[in-house]
Every structure is written in structure tokens, then in C-alpha cells.
Amino acid sequence: MTDFEGLLGALVRGGVEFILVGGVAARAHGSARLTQDVDVVYSRAAPNLGRLAEALGPLRPYLRGAPPGLPFRLDVATLERGLNFTLTTTLGDIDLLGEIVGGGGYDDLLPHCVRLRLFGMDCLCLGLERLILVKRAAGRPRDLEAVAELEALLGERGGDR
Amino acid sequence: MSRKRSPALELKSGPDPVVEAYKRDIDRTLLRENLRRTPDERVRELVRLQRFADELKRAGSEASRR
């Protein structure tokens, strides 16, 4: 079971610049759907890569679905070489996204974020309207039902973000 | 970082027939109930439901082993 509070706490305490996207963000906006992992878009700025590696290091991050024993180490060099990482940790699964389809990177998404207090922590969360747009842009069949729910939520909220 | 980043896509937000079809089956009372909660309460409810789902899965596995 994913410890959402623990994972978000590690990032927040580590001073990582990130934006909550995906299922947890949808849930924070009012979605009734369950999700199994935490999806974040992280800033690719060099100091943030160090903070990210340091924050998640103690949680023994490893490539999700990869065979055990690979020489994977989540450090600054690894983060610089890659962009999106689907990881498993001792607190559960987390996706670190350098960019998302239809949304771009951290700086592109910042104007579309709302600051929410979750588990007693201040988190930047992608706004509902932009969340809908990036899910539509992802174009995965399984996202269409989620998009329908998010659009219904937007309607219930009166069209605010 | 020197790597050139791709710009955010321009997105269309017109109605999608599949999405519109899904909308007909959405339980709006559940959404309204969620909207009465704070974001914090909504994610805490996710944790509670996740625990419940895990418990069901565990119980199901145990039952099938008997």
C-alpha cells in the first residue's frame, strides 16, 4: 500500500520543488477514483535534482517492474540523464516526471497550479482545468473515464479551476 | 540544464464522444459529497479506502487458500 503522506512528506521536508499531478491531484480536487501511486512533476533545476535525490534516497527508490539487482541509483547524475522515472520505494510507488504530455515541465505548469494543504503540508497541485487538459493530451483509453469525471467535477464546481 | 525542452502543447478541449458517454454514468452525488470536504479530507479518505481495498484483497487471498 502506498503511503501518500509519507512520500509527500519526504518531498516537502526535503524542500523539493514539485507539482502534484495524476490520481492524487484528481482526488484532492474531488475525484472519487482510487489511485495506487503518487505522480509529481519535479523541477529540473540543478539544485532541485540534488534535493530530490536526497529526499528519496533513504526510501531505497528502484525502477518499478525492473528485475532485482540492477545497479540503479537515484542520484543527480541519474536524474540528469533521464527525465521520467517510475519508481517503487519503501513507502510505495512514485512517478517522477520531468515533463508531461500537454503540460510541459515544472515551470510551464506553475501558472496552472493551486496551493493545497494536504496531510498538514502545503503542496502545489495542478489545477483541475489543466489536469483535464493533460489527461486528454495523454490520450490513453483508461484516462477517458477519468476525464469524464474531472469534467463533471469542473461542472459541479461551476467551472473554476 | 542545456537540454532543450519541448513546449507545452496547444490543447483542444472540445467534447469527446467517449468522454461524453462516460459522463452519463457518473455518480454526481458522490462528487458533490466530495466537494463538501476539504482537499485534505479528500486525500485522507483515499488513504482510508486504499486500506479497505487492501484488506479486502488480503481477505480474498486468504479465503481462496482455504
Side-chain angles (χ1 to χ4, degrees):
Chain A
M1 194 178 96
T2 298
D3 180 348
F4 298 110
E5 182 175 3
L7 282 169
L8 289 177
L11 298 176
V12 170
R13 281 193 304 277
V16 177
E17 292 176 323
F18 70 95
I19 297 167
L20 197 52
V21 298
V24 179
R27 187 81 201 185
H29 285 300
S31 164
R33 296 167 69 85
L34 293 182
T35 187
Q36 299 289 339
D37 62 2
V38 173
D39 300 318
V40 300
V41 174
Y42 64 98
S43 163
R44 296 280 297 171
N48 197 54
L49 300 186
R51 289 193 289 265
L52 183 55
E54 201 153 306
L56 293 184
L59 308 181
R60 305 210 311 264
Y62 193 71
L63 296 169
R64 199 184 317 150
L70 294 180
F72 176 78
R73 184 182 160 88
L74 188 73
D75 54 18
V76 172
T78 302
L79 288 166
E80 278 176 343
R81 281 196 300 268
L83 185 65
N84 295 340
F85 300 86
T86 55
L87 303 173
T88 184
T89 75
T90 53
L91 294 183
D93 294 345
I94 184 167
D95 290 355
L96 304 178
L97 308 168
E99 285 180 4
I100 52 176
V101 176
Y106 179 86
D107 293 332
D108 301 310
L109 292 172
L110 267 183
H112 307 286
C113 287
V114 288
R115 190 168 289 280
L116 299 179
R117 194 145 181 89
L118 305 175
F119 302 113
M121 300 172 276
D122 281 330
C123 298
L124 276 179
C125 183
L126 192 58
L128 181 53
E129 284 187 351
R130 184 56 47 155
L131 195 56
I132 291 168
L133 289 178
V134 298
K135 277 205 173 283
R136 272 178 175 257
R140 297 175 302 191
R142 67 189 172 100
D143 281 331
L144 295 176
E145 200 174 349
V147 168
E149 189 204 34
L150 293 175
E151 289 187 357
L153 263 175
L154 192 66
E156 292 293 330
R157 280 171 38 161
D160 63 339
R161 75 171 198 180
Chain B
M1 200 176 75
S2 59
R3 193 173 61 81
K4 192 177 173 187
R5 289 188 309 149
S6 60
L9 298 177
E10 282 300 317
L11 299 164
K12 292 181 205 162
S13 56
D16 177 305
V18 179
V19 170
E20 295 307 309
Y22 275 129
K23 274 186 195 169
R24 288 196 286 272
D25 295 324
I26 287 171
D27 182 351
R28 285 171 185 266
T29 57
L30 196 55
L31 298 187
R32 286 173 198 142
E33 192 181 309
N34 279 349
L35 287 174
R36 280 194 288 274
R37 297 182 169 128
T38 65
D40 183 65
E41 289 169 338
R42 295 172 198 153
V43 293
R44 286 180 192 274
E45 178 69 1
L46 168 65
V47 174
R48 196 188 66 76
L49 290 171
Q50 193 193 31
R51 283 201 187 108
F52 180 60
D54 276 14
E55 185 62 23
L56 281 179
K57 203 190 304 180
R58 191 190 58 75
S61 300
E62 273 183 19
S64 65
R65 276 200 300 270
R66 281 187 206 130

